[in-house]
Amino acid sequence: MRILAISLACAATMFAAQPVFAAPVSRIVAVVNGDMITSRELDRAVKPEFIGQQIDPQKKPELAKMVRDAVLDRMINEKILMQQAEKDGIKIADDEIDSTIESLIKESQLSREDFLKQMAKDGVTEKQLRERTRLQMLTQRVMGRNVVNKVVVTEEEINEYYRKNMAGLDSGRARVALLVYPPDADAEKWAADIASGKISFAEAARKVSIGPNPEEGGDMGFMDVADMAEGMADIVSRMSKGQVSPVIPLQPNKVQIALLDFEQNDTAVAADAKPDAETARRIEDMLRRPRLQERFQQYTTELRQKALVDIRN
């Protein structure tokens, strides 16, 4: 018995002498209708934002906190939408996610390995990519059920827009400028500076564009709209003179288009002129998009007002 007691005492001493390493605790930063969001989940979601916006939390703590709070707010809305999808019985199968991701890879014109490497460089793991894809698909289906069908664009509205803005476009001539961003450029930052007036489109093109005529601000001169590539013609047809398009992904680059001028054809626009089916579809999509966004914001606000949200960040 004495030997056993001594052995136990030695063992206790050995264990007591070992350093104890506690695993980092992932605290709860928010509770949404009983579902938790942890600090670890928030950290993972914030990381790509810090990388994309080139924010060093140590050097810019106030800005980092603003971004972190904005991401948490987005995650709360996403959690509410996922809960609504569950209530609506909406599910996304794994093979649907696989198919969507494969389409993204194909559109990127990169190999799967290079695509995932680029995502990792942007701070997004393959698991996060799948989670994002699932969330996007769930959101689209929730919108389809609760938002899209409630947004209506009438035939009269389509015809009126056509007569005021697009009649004769196919036989008109447009003077466009093209800004092609290098793959490593922060296109969204440049676009924001252009939109705010901090820099002109032409000046940005001269400084950064790798497209045609950068020294001339990307000016490509007048061209017949009917002769443009289908994608460009579609974008230009949605624009007004002097307008600059949003950033358009065009792997491996991103581009922006400016409509500098437009020459209408000489044919008078009849009071009863109507667009062809394809043009009508484009106009409907253009008119519907901001209404969908507005209705979606209203819908998410309504859901959030009904939700029990406890923010502990």
Side-chain angles (χ1 to χ4, degrees):
M1 292 296 293
R2 177 177 173 76
I3 294 175
L4 177 59
I6 293 173
S7 298
L8 289 174
C10 290
T13 302
M14 289 174 64
F15 282 115
Q18 302 302 313
V20 177
F21 298 100
V25 176
S26 182
R27 62 187 179 85
I28 297 171
V29 295
V31 181
V32 185
N33 291 326
D35 286 349
M36 297 180 297
I37 298 175
T38 67
S39 58
R40 191 171 299 163
E41 291 173 321
L42 179 56
D43 288 340
R44 285 200 303 265
V46 167
K47 183 180 177 182
E49 300 295 332
F50 285 166
I51 292 175
Q53 299 182 43
Q54 299 181 337
I55 296 174
D56 185 339
Q58 300 299 322
K59 295 181 179 178
K60 298 180 179 179
E62 292 184 1
L63 180 57
K65 185 180 185 307
M66 288 177 59
V67 172
R68 188 179 180 86
D69 288 347
V71 171
L72 177 58
D73 190 68
R74 185 188 74 203
M75 292 177 71
I76 290 170
N77 287 339
E78 290 171 350
K79 183 75 72 175
I80 292 171
L81 283 169
M82 291 179 71
Q83 292 169 346
Q84 185 61 42
E86 186 174 357
K87 288 180 182 177
D88 291 343
I90 300 172
K91 297 181 180 180
I92 307 295
D94 287 341
D95 59 351
E96 292 181 88
I97 297 174
D98 293 338
S99 177
T100 301
I101 291 177
E102 289 306 318
S103 295
L104 289 174
I105 294 173
K106 185 176 181 180
E107 289 174 7
S108 74
Q109 298 182 344
L110 297 173
S111 68
R112 182 181 182 83
E113 182 181 1
D114 288 341
F115 179 86
L116 293 177
K117 282 182 179 179
Q118 182 60 50
M119 295 298 297
K121 183 179 177 182
D122 293 337
V124 180
T125 66
E126 185 172 1
K127 181 180 179 181
Q128 287 175 298
L129 175 62
R130 293 185 66 84
E131 290 173 350
R132 284 187 181 186
T133 303
R134 182 186 297 277
L135 174 63
Q136 185 178 32
M137 295 175 75
L138 282 171
T139 300
Q140 288 173 346
R141 294 187 187 181
V142 169
M143 282 185 63
R145 178 170 296 188
N146 301 288
V147 176
V148 175
N149 293 335
K150 297 180 181 180
V151 175
V152 177
V153 177
T154 67
E155 183 178 356
E156 290 75 15
E157 288 176 310
I158 294 172
N159 293 340
E160 181 180 3
Y161 183 91
Y162 173 74
R163 287 190 285 268
K164 286 184 177 180
N165 300 278
M166 296 177 63
L169 180 65
D170 288 342
S171 57
R173 300 176 73 238
R175 181 183 171 196
V176 299
L178 194 63
L179 195 168
V180 181
Y181 291 101
D184 59 347
D186 188 346
E188 283 72 19
K189 175 64 168 58
W190 282 97
D193 288 345
I194 293 170
S196 67
K198 188 174 181 180
I199 189 172
S200 69
F201 182 94
E203 187 179 355
R206 284 192 288 270
K207 287 187 175 182
V208 73
S209 180
I210 59 173
N213 301 327
E215 66 282 354
E216 301 295 332
D219 190 346
M220 299 175 66
F222 277 98
M223 60 182 71
D224 291 335
V225 176
D227 293 337
M228 291 181 181
E230 182 177 352
M232 177 179 284
D234 184 61
I235 293 167
V236 170
S237 70
R238 301 169 189 265
M239 299 171 65
S240 302
K241 180 179 176 179
Q243 189 177 3
V244 176
S245 76
V247 174
I248 305 163
L250 189 65
Q251 295 294 341
N253 308 102
K254 295 179 180 180
V255 304
Q256 281 188 280
I257 298 173
L259 179 56
L260 305 180
D261 201 356
F262 179 73
E263 293 179 346
Q264 188 84 13
N265 66 353
D266 295 332
T267 305
V269 178
D272 60 350
K274 295 182 180 180
D276 58 52
E278 177 58 25
T279 302
R281 184 197 62 77
R282 295 207 313 263
I283 295 173
E284 181 181 10
D285 180 61
M286 181 179 58
L287 295 177
R288 184 187 297 273
R289 194 179 303 120
R291 299 181 192 182
L292 280 173
Q293 185 63 31
E294 181 181 1
R295 174 56 191 149
F296 181 66
Q297 292 295 337
Q298 292 174 350
Y299 179 68
T300 53
T301 299
E302 291 168 5
L303 287 179
R304 181 143 181 178
Q305 288 174 343
K306 297 176 184 176
L308 297 175
V309 180
D310 179 14
I311 299 177
R312 306 175 185 178
N313 188 27

